[in-house]
Amino acid sequence: MARPDKAAAVAELTDQFRSSNAAVLTEYRGLTVAQLKTLRRSLGENATYAVVKNTLTKIAANEAGINLLDDLFAGPSAVAFVTGDPVEAAKGLRDFAKDNPALVIKGGVLDGKALSADEIKKLADLESREVLLAKLAGAMKGKQSQAAALFQALPSKFVRTADALRAKKAEQGGAE
């Protein structure tokens, strides 16, 4: 029978897997406590970083319906649970790993889809959600302005053409 403390740990990890948008599995071997503290701060407000036991985390992930990470649970592992913008957390992990090669990004899961370490690095290269939404809004506004100018041009072009025809008929009528 499972010990109560382990069952509680599995239940807590299961809740974290279910409530997060993304989870990134890392190996932290060789990092000091101070470096881990710096890493936690660099992830942003919407992410938590926890050192975990592989067996318990594997059970919790499977209970949460995530069985895509099973091969990655080897060696000392820690999980970054992301509840907000996954790009911000991925950037924090990537930047920290550049400065501290002891941090190895193993892989992760984003909205139920497995991500390799390379895909997480590509995710980190994206701009934040807010920036992408702002660019989309700007592009949409630009297209609306172009459409409005086009719709406005048609009647004014018709009026100019009608005026030119009237002037031409007036010239022809006055010349005869």
Side-chain angles (χ1 to χ4, degrees):
M1 180 164 210
R3 292 191 349 217
D5 58 335
K6 288 187 178 182
V10 168
E12 183 181 339
L13 286 170
T14 302
D15 287 343
Q16 285 184 313
F17 273 114
R18 285 184 179 144
S19 65
S20 60
N21 304 357
V24 180
L25 192 64
T26 64
E27 183 175 320
Y28 66 93
R29 185 181 313 195
L31 293 176
T32 65
V33 173
Q35 289 172 322
L36 287 175
K37 188 176 179 181
T38 304
L39 173 59
R40 284 184 177 100
R41 272 188 262 128
S42 72
L43 290 179
E45 298 173 5
N46 299 322
T48 58
Y49 188 77
V51 173
V52 294
K53 290 191 176 281
N54 288 333
T55 309
L56 299 180
T57 308
K58 191 175 188 178
I59 292 168
N62 288 331
E63 284 183 12
I66 301 169
N67 51 11
L68 309 167
L69 303 175
D70 288 353
D71 337 349
L72 303 177
F73 291 111
S77 298
V79 180
F81 294 102
V82 183
T83 55
D85 186 9
V87 174
E88 181 183 352
K91 283 182 184 191
L93 285 168
R94 178 201 60 195
D95 295 344
F96 187 85
K98 280 182 186 175
D99 298 336
N100 301 285
L103 180 74
V104 177
I105 299 172
K106 296 179 181 181
V109 63
L110 173 65
D111 294 329
K113 181 187 177 293
L115 297 175
S116 68
D118 289 335
E119 290 172 323
I120 292 171
K121 289 175 184 167
K122 287 179 186 174
L123 181 65
D125 292 336
L126 289 177
E127 293 171 332
S128 73
R129 183 175 191 271
E130 290 77 20
V131 171
L132 290 174
L133 287 174
K135 285 186 174 182
L136 177 65
M140 289 174 65
K141 183 180 177 191
K143 291 299 179 191
Q144 287 176 342
S145 298
Q146 287 176 348
L150 178 67
F151 293 138
Q152 190 176 19
L154 290 174
S156 64
K157 186 174 182 181
F158 176 74
V159 169
R160 285 194 308 271
T161 306
D163 280 346
L165 268 167
R166 193 172 356 109
K168 188 174 181 182
K169 279 195 173 200
E171 283 179 19
Q172 288 175 354
E176 293 178 29

